[in-house]
Amino acid sequence: MTAFLESLKKLEQLGLTQQPLLFVLNSQYVIKSVSDTKEGPAWMKSWKKRDWKTANGKPVANQELWQDIDRELAKFDSSKLKFAWLRSTVSDAGSDFVDSLLMKRMDE
């Protein structure tokens, strides 16, 4: 979630909020939370309607982080955002590159 939020912030800084973007994530949870899927509408839409509560009436976990993501996503043209899921066990050049950057940054 934090990595997704930080990527949105960086894309905003780069002036890419109105460009077609493909987010390749290894988290079904994030994808289903922010994007309509064949299983149904984005969970965040329902959370907001219920004042950031889940279907069983409990507060959404990591509510502040989700609200930050929601505010950041509002700056983007949602019709140009696409999401794809990549299994975390699959080796992919892009994913491997991002992982190496993350590890390098964490070591700093």
Side-chain angles (χ1 to χ4, degrees):
M1 291 168 45
T2 301
F4 179 61
L5 175 60
E6 292 304 315
S7 70
L8 292 172
K9 289 178 181 179
K10 185 63 175 180
L11 290 165
E12 179 190 8
Q13 288 175 357
L14 295 171
L16 299 174
T17 60
Q18 302 306 304
Q19 300 299 313
L21 298 168
L22 171 63
F23 293 93
V24 180
L25 307 171
N26 64 3
S27 172
Q28 289 273 358
Y29 179 60
V30 172
I31 292 172
K32 289 178 180 181
S33 295
V34 300
S35 173
D36 296 337
T37 66
K38 61 185 172 194
E39 287 92 25
W43 296 342
M44 204 159 44
K45 291 177 182 177
S46 298
W47 297 340
K48 287 167 53 174
K49 285 181 186 175
R50 292 190 296 263
D51 195 29
W52 294 96
K53 297 211 174 19
T54 63
N56 63 9
K58 295 182 180 180
V60 172
N62 302 303
Q63 180 177 324
E64 289 180 16
L65 186 53
W66 283 120
Q67 289 171 334
D68 289 344
I69 290 170
D70 183 48
R71 280 189 290 276
E72 200 61 35
L73 276 173
K75 300 172 186 178
F76 289 77
D77 180 345
S78 63
S79 70
K80 295 182 179 180
L81 302 181
K82 303 272 187 245
F83 295 86
W85 179 59
L86 177 73
R87 287 185 192 273
S88 59
T89 57
V90 172
S91 182
D92 169 88
S95 180
D96 293 344
F97 174 71
V98 170
D99 284 346
S100 70
L101 290 177
L102 175 63
M103 293 303 177
K104 183 177 177 180
R105 180 74 172 176
M106 289 174 60
D107 288 341
E108 292 177 359

